[in-house]
């Protein structure tokens, strides 16, 4: 199990590189910092496509800080194209989670030390342990639920299949 979730996958499609670029271009809108409109979006992803690479994330309603940031490269193969895709959380969120886990981890070990060496009530260690478990649960649930939707959306628009996961 990874501490910080991330994945690397390949999506294989029978489409040519040009067709893949055209489809991605038609399904990616530029990133918008603040969008208060409630209109239905016609694009699936936001980000950018340049040459044979792209950096995107799925457009969702609401906010999920753990949504995968998708970086990919498009390569030609014998039967079409292969997309080498890397899914990671936003760097700012990773730093925040590391700081959160660091502070709660230190609190947990200090409370354990106090329990064993100073006779503190063992219930004192439950608070930091619950906060650590909550951080892992929230991070993994938020990331994995959106990862699945993003991969399915890429497979659907590109008429491809996830070939392998590393």
């Amino acid at each position: 199990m990874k501490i910080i979730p991330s994945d690397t996958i390949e999506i294989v499609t029978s489409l040519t590189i040009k067709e893949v670029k055209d489809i991605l271009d038609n399904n990616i809108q530029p990133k918008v910092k603040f969008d208060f409109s409630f209109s239905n979006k016609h694009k699936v992803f936001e980000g950018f496509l340049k040459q044979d690479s792209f950096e995107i994330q799925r457009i969702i309603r609401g906010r999920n800080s753990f949504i995968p940031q998708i970086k990919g490269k498009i390569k030609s193969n014998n039967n079409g194209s292969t997309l080498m895709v890397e899914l990671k959380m936003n760097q700012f969120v990773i730093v925040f989670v590391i700081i959160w886990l660091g502070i709660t981890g230190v609190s947990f070990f200090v409370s354990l030390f106090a329990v064993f060496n100073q006779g503190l009530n063992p219930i004192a260690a439950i608070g930091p342990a619950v906060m650590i478990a909550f951080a892992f649960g929230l991070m993994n649930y938020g990331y994995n639920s959106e990862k699945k939707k993003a991969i399915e959306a890429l497979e659907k628009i590109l008429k491809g299949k996830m070939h392998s996961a590393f």
Side-chain angles (χ1 to χ4, degrees):
M1 182 176 119
K2 296 178 188 175
I3 293 176
I4 305 294
S6 66
D7 293 283
T8 303
I9 63 168
E10 287 181 1
I11 296 178
V12 177
T13 181
S14 59
L15 302 172
T16 66
I17 289 180
K18 182 180 180 345
E19 291 172 322
V20 169
K21 285 183 191 179
D22 290 343
I23 289 171
L24 285 175
D25 192 43
N26 289 330
N27 286 283
I28 297 173
Q29 74 179 27
K31 271 195 174 184
V32 179
K33 295 246 186 229
F34 299 104
D35 185 8
F36 296 109
S37 67
F38 294 104
S39 64
N40 290 337
K41 304 285 188 225
H42 298 292
K43 309 278 182 161
V44 180
F45 297 99
E46 64 181 0
F48 62 88
L49 170 69
K50 62 179 181 181
Q51 297 284 316
D52 293 336
S53 65
F54 54 92
E55 290 186 28
I56 57 176
Q57 74 179 30
R58 201 170 72 82
I59 296 173
I60 62 171
R61 187 177 194 114
R63 180 81 176 128
N64 179 353
S65 297
F66 304 107
I67 192 167
Q69 307 297 301
I70 305 167
K71 292 183 182 181
K73 293 186 187 285
I74 308 164
K75 296 183 178 185
S76 180
N77 68 24
N78 295 338
N79 302 325
S81 303
T82 301
L83 283 76
M84 305 296 290
V85 180
E86 185 177 12
L87 298 100
K88 290 185 174 181
M89 288 191 318
N90 184 300
Q91 294 295 334
F92 176 77
V93 175
I94 292 172
V95 169
F96 178 81
V97 167
I98 289 171
I99 291 169
W100 175 279
L101 292 174
I103 292 169
T104 55
V106 167
S107 300
F108 178 70
F109 286 113
V110 167
S111 62
L112 282 181
F113 178 79
V115 166
F116 290 118
N117 292 329
Q118 298 174 354
L120 185 67
N121 188 341
I123 292 177
I126 291 175
V130 167
M131 291 176 71
I132 291 169
F134 178 74
F136 276 113
L138 184 64
M139 177 175 51
N140 282 296
Y141 175 75
Y143 174 83
N144 287 326
S145 65
E146 288 298 329
K147 172 188 82 168
K148 181 180 176 187
K149 294 174 187 174
I151 291 171
E152 287 172 354
L154 275 174
E155 288 176 333
K156 182 179 177 184
I157 65 172
L158 297 172
K159 300 174 185 76
K161 288 287 179 201
M162 185 169 67
H163 185 256
S164 62
F166 299 80

